[in-house]
């Protein structure tokens, strides 16, 4: 099977702005296993981009390379570069705390802290403000309300802000996990299967939220749900065996894919 990427498809797409994420010849190994092969990607600022492909194809690995989570594992080796807002985050002079501030991460299962809803929102804000970082300004109450309104959660929880966050529904917990990223003013939101633990109603609510956040934030979402990728993204990246096979506007990927491998995956012939 030919999984070599088409160089033409990896050129920057016509852009109304700069690239929020740009990787060049990104290779990654877990021990002796190579998970990413010369990944060149340009993720446009302010858009929702989905990443699709079979399990183990490198989607989550790429996502975790953008905020340097992978390097916590001592057996990971990385070559190449990843630029976030034009800065190489693997440059030795770049501070990890600043990378994590610019690039927020939402995981498959909601992971609210076992403290109040209010304190969940303020946790990272207090942490970064103490270190002199640029954060949302205002009183604690204003920051909490603003963040919860942004994720369409304020009306549901405004009367129970002192309740433990773990008492919320899964949908509400996932929205809260997004809301607690916002007070530190991230540029990019990475989402790794954010709806996998949610029912259809919760999935619809999170997808609605993505469109509300679009423009103000660059959103990169990994999903195995083909319908979700088509509904909830403007551009789509198809990965296979650690390589980028195709990157194009979402409707083009689903209606007129340029590679047989992409068509086979979308039509359910493997994966």
């Amino acid at each position: 099977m030919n999984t070599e990427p088409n160089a033409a498809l990896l050129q920057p797409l016509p852009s109304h702005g700069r690239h929020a994420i740009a990787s060049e010849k990104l290779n990654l190994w877990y021990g002796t296993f190579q998970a990413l092969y010369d990944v060149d990607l340009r993720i446009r600022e302010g858009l929702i981009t989905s990443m699709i492909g079979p399990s183990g194809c490198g989607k989550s690995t790429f996502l975790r390379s953008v905020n340097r989570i992978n390097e916590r594992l001592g057996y990971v080796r990385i070559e190449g570069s990843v630029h976030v807002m034009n800065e190489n985050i693997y440059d030795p002079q770049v501070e990890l705390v600043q990378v994590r501030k610019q690039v927020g991460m939402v995981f498959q299962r909601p992971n609210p802290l076992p403290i109040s809803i209010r304190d969940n929102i303020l946790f990272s804000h207090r942490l970064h403000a103490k270190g002199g970082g640029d954060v949302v300004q205002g009183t604690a109450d204003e920051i909490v309300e603003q963040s919860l309104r942004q994720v369409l959660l304020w009306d549901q929880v405004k009367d129970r802000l002192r309740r433990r966050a773990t008492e919320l529904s899964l949908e509400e917990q996932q929205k809260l996990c997004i809301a607690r990223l916002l007070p530190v003013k991230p540029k990019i939101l990475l989402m790794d299967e954010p709806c996998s633990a949610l029912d259809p109603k919760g999935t619809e609510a999170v997808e609605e939220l993505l469109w509300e956040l679009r423009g103000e934030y660059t959103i990169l979402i990994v999903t195995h749900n083909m319908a979700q990728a088509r509904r909830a993204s403007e551009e789509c990246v198809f990965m296979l065996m650690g390589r980028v096979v195709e990157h194009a506007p979402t409707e083009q990927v689903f209606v007129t894919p340029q590679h047989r491998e992409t068509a086979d995956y979308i039509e359910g012939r493997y994966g």
Side-chain angles (χ1 to χ4, degrees):
M1 178 183 296
N2 176 22
T3 58
E4 290 296 328
N6 185 325
L9 289 174
L10 296 184
Q11 297 303 309
L13 296 164
S15 178
H16 59 262
R18 58 181 174 174
H19 298 112
I21 303 168
S23 69
E24 185 172 355
K25 296 192 179 303
L26 180 63
N27 293 274
L28 184 144
W29 291 261
Y30 294 112
T32 58
F33 172 73
Q34 188 167 359
L36 295 178
Y37 292 83
D38 290 330
V39 173
D40 293 330
L41 266 179
R42 306 291 184 269
I43 305 299
R44 287 204 285 162
E45 184 178 6
L47 299 188
I48 306 172
T49 300
S50 59
M51 300 191 79
I52 61 174
S55 296
C57 71
K59 304 183 303 297
S60 293
T61 294
F62 178 81
L63 213 65
R64 291 163 182 259
S65 297
V66 176
N67 70 345
R68 293 176 51 179
I69 288 181
N70 282 322
E71 67 187 58
R72 296 186 304 180
L73 305 174
Y75 52 88
V76 168
R77 180 165 63 91
I78 299 172
E79 293 180 355
S81 66
V82 178
H83 285 76
V84 170
M85 309 309 288
N86 294 326
E87 183 173 32
N88 183 6
I89 63 171
Y90 285 96
D91 188 300
Q93 297 179 2
V94 172
E95 295 182 4
L96 183 56
V97 66
Q98 290 305 314
V99 174
R100 300 275 170 79
K101 181 177 179 295
Q102 286 197 82
V103 185
M105 184 93 176
V106 179
F107 297 92
Q108 294 182 26
R109 287 197 64 84
N111 59 343
L113 298 169
I115 53 181
S116 73
I117 296 169
R118 184 178 189 276
D119 286 340
N120 263 270
I121 298 294
L122 296 174
F123 182 83
S124 59
H125 182 272
R126 289 167 174 161
L127 188 66
H128 285 280
K130 188 180 299 184
D134 180 27
V135 296
V136 170
Q137 300 300 309
T139 67
D141 288 342
E142 289 170 344
I143 291 166
V144 169
E145 180 174 350
Q146 178 183 342
S147 299
L148 291 172
R149 283 192 183 280
Q150 277 191 274
V151 301
L152 312 178
L153 195 56
W154 173 252
D155 290 338
Q156 294 101 299
V157 303
K158 62 183 178 183
D159 297 323
R160 44 184 175 138
L161 296 176
R162 302 288 180 179
R163 299 274 294 274
R164 287 170 67 92
T166 49
E167 296 176 11
L168 296 172
S169 69
L170 284 177
E171 171 201 329
E172 291 170 335
Q173 287 184 32
Q174 195 64 298
K175 286 184 174 182
L176 178 66
C177 289
I178 298 170
R180 74 182 179 191
L181 299 173
L182 306 186
V184 300
K185 301 167 69 172
K187 303 292 187 183
I188 297 166
L189 300 179
L190 306 177
M191 300 190 176
D192 193 356
E193 293 281 351
C195 300
S196 62
L198 306 182
D199 61 18
K201 183 178 179 181
T203 296
E204 182 181 1
V206 170
E207 289 177 7
E208 177 187 352
L209 170 60
L210 296 185
W211 288 110
E212 290 288 332
L213 297 175
R214 172 199 177 275
E216 187 171 355
Y217 304 93
T218 300
I219 299 172
L220 182 57
I221 176 173
V222 164
T223 180
H224 284 96
N225 185 326
M226 293 299 95
Q228 180 176 69
R230 190 168 184 179
R231 285 192 307 263
S233 69
E234 297 158 279
E235 293 185 358
C236 185
V237 177
F238 172 59
M239 294 190 68
L240 183 64
M241 298 174 63
R243 294 180 169 89
V244 172
V245 176
E246 193 155 344
H247 177 200
T250 300
E251 198 64 12
Q252 178 180 319
V253 170
F254 279 86
V255 177
T256 56
Q258 301 299 300
H259 290 261
R260 177 175 57 81
E261 294 86 358
T262 310
D264 286 347
Y265 180 73
I266 289 172
E267 294 169 16
R269 288 196 281 269
Y270 69 83

